[in-house]
Protein backbone atom coordinates (compact mmCIF):
# COMPACT_ATOMS: atom_id res chain seq x y z
CA UNK A 1 0.00 0.00 0.00
CA UNK A 2 1.09 3.52 -0.80
CA UNK A 3 1.33 6.25 1.81
CA UNK A 4 -1.81 8.36 1.64
CA UNK A 5 -1.59 12.11 1.12
CA UNK A 6 -4.37 14.01 2.86
CA UNK A 7 -6.04 16.98 1.15
CA UNK A 8 -6.56 20.29 2.95
CA UNK A 9 -10.20 19.26 3.56
CA UNK A 10 -9.11 15.93 5.04
CA UNK A 11 -6.51 17.59 7.26
CA UNK A 12 -9.28 19.83 8.58
CA UNK A 13 -11.03 16.69 9.80
CA UNK A 14 -7.77 15.28 11.23
CA UNK A 15 -7.37 18.59 13.07
CA UNK A 16 -10.79 18.17 14.68
CA UNK A 17 -10.11 14.57 15.76
CA UNK A 18 -6.65 15.55 17.00
CA UNK A 19 -8.02 18.42 19.05
CA UNK A 20 -10.55 16.12 20.69
CA UNK A 21 -7.84 13.60 21.61
CA UNK A 22 -5.77 16.43 23.13
CA UNK A 23 -8.81 17.61 25.08
CA UNK A 24 -9.22 14.15 26.64
CA UNK A 25 -5.70 14.49 28.10
CA UNK A 26 -6.49 18.02 29.28
CA UNK A 27 -9.73 16.86 30.89
CA UNK A 28 -8.11 13.95 32.74
CA UNK A 29 -5.10 15.90 34.07
CA UNK A 30 -6.65 17.18 37.35
CA UNK A 31 -7.87 13.63 38.11
CA UNK A 32 -4.40 12.10 37.95
CA UNK A 33 -3.58 12.11 41.67
CA UNK A 34 -2.49 9.51 44.24
CA UNK A 35 -5.42 7.27 45.22
CA UNK A 36 -7.30 7.07 41.90
CA UNK A 37 -7.26 3.79 40.00
CA UNK A 38 -6.37 3.47 36.32
CA UNK A 39 -9.83 1.92 35.86
CA UNK A 40 -11.48 5.08 37.16
CA UNK A 41 -9.32 7.23 34.84
CA UNK A 42 -10.40 5.01 31.94
CA UNK A 43 -14.09 5.39 32.82
CA UNK A 44 -13.79 9.19 32.98
CA UNK A 45 -12.12 9.29 29.55
CA UNK A 46 -14.67 6.90 28.06
CA UNK A 47 -17.66 8.89 29.27
CA UNK A 48 -16.10 12.17 28.14
CA UNK A 49 -15.41 10.89 24.62
CA UNK A 50 -18.80 9.24 24.18
CA UNK A 51 -21.11 11.68 25.99
CA UNK A 52 -19.38 15.07 25.75
CA UNK A 53 -17.40 14.79 22.52
CA UNK A 54 -19.87 12.55 20.68
CA UNK A 55 -16.87 10.71 19.38
CA UNK A 56 -15.62 7.11 19.35
CA UNK A 57 -12.82 5.70 21.56
CA UNK A 58 -10.69 3.91 18.95
CA UNK A 59 -8.95 1.56 21.36
CA UNK A 60 -12.17 -0.20 22.43
CA UNK A 61 -12.29 -3.44 20.48
CA UNK A 62 -9.02 -2.73 18.68
CA UNK A 63 -7.42 -6.18 18.27
CA UNK A 64 -9.44 -7.25 21.32
CA UNK A 65 -8.30 -4.42 23.63
CA UNK A 66 -11.26 -3.60 25.90
CA UNK A 67 -10.45 -0.19 27.35
CA UNK A 68 -10.46 3.42 26.15
CA UNK A 69 -6.99 4.42 27.33
CA UNK A 70 -3.70 2.63 27.72
CA UNK A 71 -2.31 3.37 31.19
CA UNK A 72 1.37 2.54 31.49
CA UNK A 73 3.02 3.02 34.87
CA UNK A 74 6.76 3.08 35.73
CA UNK A 75 8.41 -0.01 34.13
CA UNK A 76 5.46 -0.47 31.76
CA UNK A 77 6.52 0.77 28.33
CA UNK A 78 3.10 0.79 26.63
CA UNK A 79 -0.34 -0.88 26.32
CA UNK A 80 -0.97 -1.09 30.08
CA UNK A 81 -4.58 -2.15 30.70
CA UNK A 82 -6.60 0.08 33.05
CA UNK A 83 -8.11 -1.74 36.04
CA UNK A 84 -9.71 -0.96 39.38
CA UNK A 85 -7.00 -2.62 41.47
CA UNK A 86 -4.01 -0.53 40.40
CA UNK A 87 -4.29 2.68 42.38
CA UNK A 88 -1.85 5.50 41.61
CA UNK A 89 0.67 6.19 44.32
CA UNK A 90 2.95 9.07 45.15
CA UNK A 91 6.03 8.94 42.92
CA UNK A 92 4.53 6.92 40.03
CA UNK A 93 5.12 8.04 36.46
CA UNK A 94 2.13 7.33 34.21
CA UNK A 95 1.50 7.46 30.47
CA UNK A 96 -2.07 7.85 29.25
CA UNK A 97 -2.49 7.09 25.54
CA UNK A 98 -5.82 7.81 23.88
CA UNK A 99 -7.19 7.75 20.33
CA UNK A 100 -10.45 9.39 19.32
CA UNK A 101 -12.38 8.89 16.08
CA UNK A 102 -14.48 11.81 14.88
CA UNK A 103 -16.31 11.81 11.55
CA UNK A 104 -14.23 8.76 10.57
CA UNK A 105 -10.84 10.39 11.27
CA UNK A 106 -8.36 9.45 14.04
CA UNK A 107 -6.39 11.54 16.54
CA UNK A 108 -3.80 9.63 18.61
CA UNK A 109 -1.83 11.18 21.46
CA UNK A 110 -0.23 10.39 24.80
CA UNK A 111 1.51 12.21 27.60
CA UNK A 112 3.31 11.47 30.84
CA UNK A 113 2.03 12.40 34.29
CA UNK A 114 4.18 12.79 37.39
CA UNK A 115 2.01 11.47 40.24
CA UNK A 116 2.60 13.42 43.45
CA UNK A 117 6.27 13.98 44.18
CA UNK A 118 8.53 12.00 41.84
CA UNK A 119 12.22 11.14 42.17
CA UNK A 120 14.53 13.45 40.22
CA UNK A 121 15.69 10.57 37.98
CA UNK A 122 12.07 9.94 36.94
CA UNK A 123 11.39 13.63 36.39
CA UNK A 124 14.44 13.73 34.14
CA UNK A 125 13.34 10.66 32.14
CA UNK A 126 9.93 12.21 31.53
CA UNK A 127 11.39 15.56 30.46
CA UNK A 128 14.04 14.12 28.15
CA UNK A 129 11.46 11.84 26.51
CA UNK A 130 9.26 14.86 25.72
CA UNK A 131 12.34 16.56 24.28
CA UNK A 132 12.88 13.45 22.13
CA UNK A 133 9.36 13.82 20.70
CA UNK A 134 10.07 17.48 19.90
CA UNK A 135 13.46 16.71 18.30
CA UNK A 136 11.73 14.08 16.17
CA UNK A 137 8.98 16.48 15.08
CA UNK A 138 11.50 19.21 14.28
CA UNK A 139 13.11 16.88 11.72
CA UNK A 140 9.83 16.84 9.75
CA UNK A 141 9.50 18.87 6.54
CA UNK A 142 8.94 18.08 2.86
CA UNK A 143 12.01 16.42 1.38
CA UNK A 144 13.40 15.24 4.72
CA UNK A 145 13.86 11.49 5.09
CA UNK A 146 11.65 9.55 7.44
CA UNK A 147 14.69 8.13 9.23
CA UNK A 148 15.82 11.67 10.11
CA UNK A 149 13.08 11.58 12.75
CA UNK A 150 14.37 8.46 14.49
CA UNK A 151 17.94 9.63 14.17
CA UNK A 152 17.15 12.87 16.03
CA UNK A 153 15.31 10.95 18.75
CA UNK A 154 18.01 8.33 19.25
CA UNK A 155 20.78 10.92 19.40
CA UNK A 156 19.00 12.89 22.11
CA UNK A 157 18.09 9.77 24.12
CA UNK A 158 21.60 8.32 24.03
CA UNK A 159 23.23 11.66 24.82
CA UNK A 160 21.23 11.43 28.04
CA UNK A 161 22.30 7.81 28.68
CA UNK A 162 18.88 6.37 27.86
CA UNK A 163 17.87 3.68 25.35
CA UNK A 164 15.20 3.65 22.64
CA UNK A 165 12.60 0.86 22.42
CA UNK A 166 12.77 -0.66 18.92
CA UNK A 167 9.77 -3.01 18.87
CA UNK A 168 7.11 -0.30 18.64
CA UNK A 169 7.01 2.67 16.29
CA UNK A 170 4.99 5.66 15.13
CA UNK A 171 2.58 5.14 12.25
CA UNK A 172 0.61 6.75 9.48
CA UNK A 173 -2.90 7.65 10.56
CA UNK A 174 -6.10 8.91 8.95
CA UNK A 175 -9.36 7.04 8.42
CA UNK A 176 -7.25 4.00 9.39
CA UNK A 177 -5.74 3.91 12.92
CA UNK A 178 -2.40 2.35 11.95
CA UNK A 179 -1.30 2.70 8.33
CA UNK A 180 1.91 3.26 6.41
CA UNK A 181 4.51 4.57 6.96
CA UNK A 182 6.17 3.08 10.03
CA UNK A 183 8.03 5.80 11.91
CA UNK A 184 11.02 4.28 13.69
CA UNK A 185 12.38 6.11 16.72
CA UNK A 186 16.00 5.18 16.02
CA UNK A 187 18.31 4.79 13.05
CA UNK A 188 20.64 6.46 10.58
CA UNK A 189 19.64 9.72 8.86
CA UNK A 190 18.81 9.96 5.14
CA UNK A 191 17.13 6.54 4.78
CA UNK A 192 13.69 5.39 3.66
CA UNK A 193 10.97 7.50 2.08
CA UNK A 194 11.05 11.27 1.71
CA UNK A 195 8.32 13.20 3.47
CA UNK A 196 5.68 15.05 1.45
CA UNK A 197 3.15 17.72 2.32
CA UNK A 198 -0.14 16.10 3.36
CA UNK A 199 1.32 13.01 5.02
CA UNK A 200 -0.05 12.43 8.52
CA UNK A 201 1.63 10.20 11.07
CA UNK A 202 2.40 9.82 14.75
CA UNK A 203 5.73 10.12 16.50
CA UNK A 204 5.67 8.31 19.85
CA UNK A 205 9.12 7.55 21.28
CA UNK A 206 9.42 5.08 24.15
CA UNK A 207 12.59 5.82 26.09
CA UNK A 208 14.08 3.58 28.82
CA UNK A 209 16.36 4.29 31.76
CA UNK A 210 18.09 0.94 31.33
CA UNK A 211 18.08 -1.68 28.59
CA UNK A 212 16.07 -1.16 25.39
CA UNK A 213 14.71 -4.71 25.58
CA UNK A 214 11.11 -5.41 26.50
CA UNK A 215 8.76 -8.26 27.33
CA UNK A 216 5.00 -8.72 26.96
CA UNK A 217 3.09 -9.96 30.02
CA UNK A 218 0.72 -12.97 30.00
CA UNK A 219 -2.29 -10.68 29.54
CA UNK A 220 -1.06 -10.37 25.94
CA UNK A 221 -0.91 -6.55 26.06
CA UNK A 222 1.19 -5.03 28.83
CA UNK A 223 4.73 -4.36 27.60
CA UNK A 224 7.41 -3.90 30.28
CA UNK A 225 11.13 -3.24 30.29
CA UNK A 226 13.15 -6.44 30.57
CA UNK A 227 15.26 -5.06 33.43
CA UNK A 228 12.36 -3.53 35.39
CA UNK A 229 13.71 0.02 35.13
CA UNK A 230 11.33 2.79 34.13
CA UNK A 231 10.19 3.89 30.69
CA UNK A 232 8.45 7.01 29.37
CA UNK A 233 6.53 7.88 26.21
CA UNK A 234 4.99 10.97 24.60
CA UNK A 235 2.98 10.93 21.37
CA UNK A 236 1.59 13.41 18.90
CA UNK A 237 -0.25 13.07 15.60
CA UNK A 238 1.25 15.48 13.08
CA UNK A 239 0.73 16.58 9.48
CA UNK A 240 3.57 17.48 7.10
CA UNK A 241 3.01 21.06 5.90
CA UNK A 242 4.59 23.04 3.03
CA UNK A 243 7.46 24.15 5.25
CA UNK A 244 7.49 21.83 8.25
CA UNK A 245 4.85 20.19 10.39
CA UNK A 246 1.64 20.90 12.26
CA UNK A 247 0.86 19.23 15.59
CA UNK A 248 -2.74 18.05 15.25
CA UNK A 249 -2.97 16.90 18.90
CA UNK A 250 -1.44 19.97 20.55
CA UNK A 251 -2.71 20.71 24.06
CA UNK A 252 -3.27 24.19 25.47
CA UNK A 253 -0.75 23.51 28.21
CA UNK A 254 1.65 21.49 26.16
CA UNK A 255 4.49 21.71 28.72
CA UNK A 256 2.41 21.53 31.89
N1 LIG B 1 -2.48 4.32 20.87
C1 LIG B 1 -1.50 3.29 20.63
C2 LIG B 1 -0.59 3.85 19.58
O1 LIG B 1 -0.01 4.86 19.84
C3 LIG B 1 -2.11 1.98 20.26
C4 LIG B 1 -2.92 1.39 21.34
S1 LIG B 1 -3.65 -0.02 20.76
C5 LIG B 1 -4.50 -0.61 22.07
O2 LIG B 1 -0.46 3.46 18.47
F1 LIG B 1 -5.22 -1.56 21.61
F2 LIG B 1 -3.63 -1.03 22.98
F3 LIG B 1 -5.24 0.34 22.62
CO1 LIG C 1 -1.29 6.21 20.94
CO1 LIG D 1 0.08 5.81 17.92
Amino acid sequence: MKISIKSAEEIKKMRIAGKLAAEVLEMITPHVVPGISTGELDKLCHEFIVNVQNAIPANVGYNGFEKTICSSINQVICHGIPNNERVLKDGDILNIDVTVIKDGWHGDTSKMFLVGKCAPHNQRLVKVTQECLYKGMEAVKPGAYISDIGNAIQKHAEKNYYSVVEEYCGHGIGTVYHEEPQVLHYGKPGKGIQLKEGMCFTIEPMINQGTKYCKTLKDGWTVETKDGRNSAQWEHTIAVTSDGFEILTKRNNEFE
Side-chain angles (χ1 to χ4, degrees), residues 175-186:
T175 57
V176 175
Y177 191 168
H178 295 99
E179 61 183 28
E180 287 190 56
Q182 292 195 14
V183 183
L184 303 188
H185 301 121
Y186 63 95

Side-chain angles (χ1 to χ4, degrees), residues 101-114:
I101 308 173
K102 185 72 170 184
D103 200 12
W105 295 84
H106 291 71
D108 182 5
T109 187
S110 82
K111 65 162 286 192
M112 294 300 298
F113 297 86
L114 296 162

Side-chain angles (χ1 to χ4, degrees), residues 97 99 108-109 169-171 173 177-178 202 204 233 235 237:
D97 190 340
T99 300
D108 182 5
T109 187
C169 57
H171 49 91
I173 182 167
Y177 191 168
H178 295 99
T202 73
E204 47 184 298
Q233 179 178 30
E235 174 175 23
T237 298

Side-chain angles (χ1 to χ4, degrees), residues 58-70 78-81 97-99 108-110 169-171 173 177-178 202 204 206 221 233 235:
N59 290 342
V60 178
Y62 182 80
N63 287 344
F65 197 80
E66 293 180 349
K67 300 295 179 178
T68 292
I69 59 169
C70 296
C78 63
H79 303 165
I81 307 172
D97 190 340
V98 68
T99 300
D108 182 5
T109 187
S110 82
C169 57
H171 49 91
I173 182 167
Y177 191 168
H178 295 99
T202 73
E204 47 184 298
M206 284 143 271
W221 281 103
Q233 179 178 30
E235 174 175 23

